[in-house]
Amino acid sequence: MIVGLCTVELFIPGSQSLKDKRQVIHGLKDRLRGKFNLSVAEVDGGDLWQKAVLGMACVSNESSHVNQVLEQALNLIKSMPAVEVVRTQLELL
């Protein structure tokens, strides 16, 4: 069993409040769950209105599949105009 963990630090320039941030993050998490069947959660930056850190997890029997899914998820996040990716970290367990 291969577990892939990806941490993504995001900057949300258009957010003017926590409500704005939650709306953007909620939509992003729903898209990631629906398209890639990932476990996604905001793991840090909950009290900041322009910063969020998302944690994503994927489980498979092949490391190449885990890498492919997480890379595609990162590409989806990078394509979204409402967020800017500050930093990413990818781990395989």
Side-chain angles (χ1 to χ4, degrees):
M1 175 173 64
I2 306 295
V3 179
L5 303 173
C6 185
T7 306
V8 185
E9 184 177 334
L10 301 172
F11 175 66
I12 308 161
S15 176
Q16 299 298 315
S17 66
L18 285 174
K19 185 176 181 181
D20 290 344
K21 175 188 152 181
R22 279 192 295 271
Q23 185 176 21
V24 170
I25 296 301
H26 183 70
L28 177 58
K29 290 188 324 186
D30 284 348
R31 286 185 68 186
L32 290 167
R33 285 182 188 128
K35 187 166 185 171
F36 301 108
N37 196 22
L38 294 172
S39 295
V40 184
E42 184 176 2
V43 296
D44 197 10
D47 57 343
L48 303 172
W49 45 275
Q50 286 190 316
K51 178 185 173 186
V53 180
L54 292 183
M56 301 183 290
C58 178
V59 178
S60 180
N61 58 348
E62 294 182 14
S63 60
S64 61
H65 181 258
V66 171
N67 275 328
Q68 180 184 15
V69 170
L70 291 176
E71 287 296 328
Q72 288 176 349
L74 284 173
N75 289 338
L76 179 114
I77 294 170
K78 289 175 182 176
S79 73
M80 295 190 66
V83 298
E84 295 175 16
V85 176
V86 176
R87 184 178 359 185
T88 63
Q89 181 179 0
L90 181 63
E91 298 177 63
L92 294 179
L93 304 174

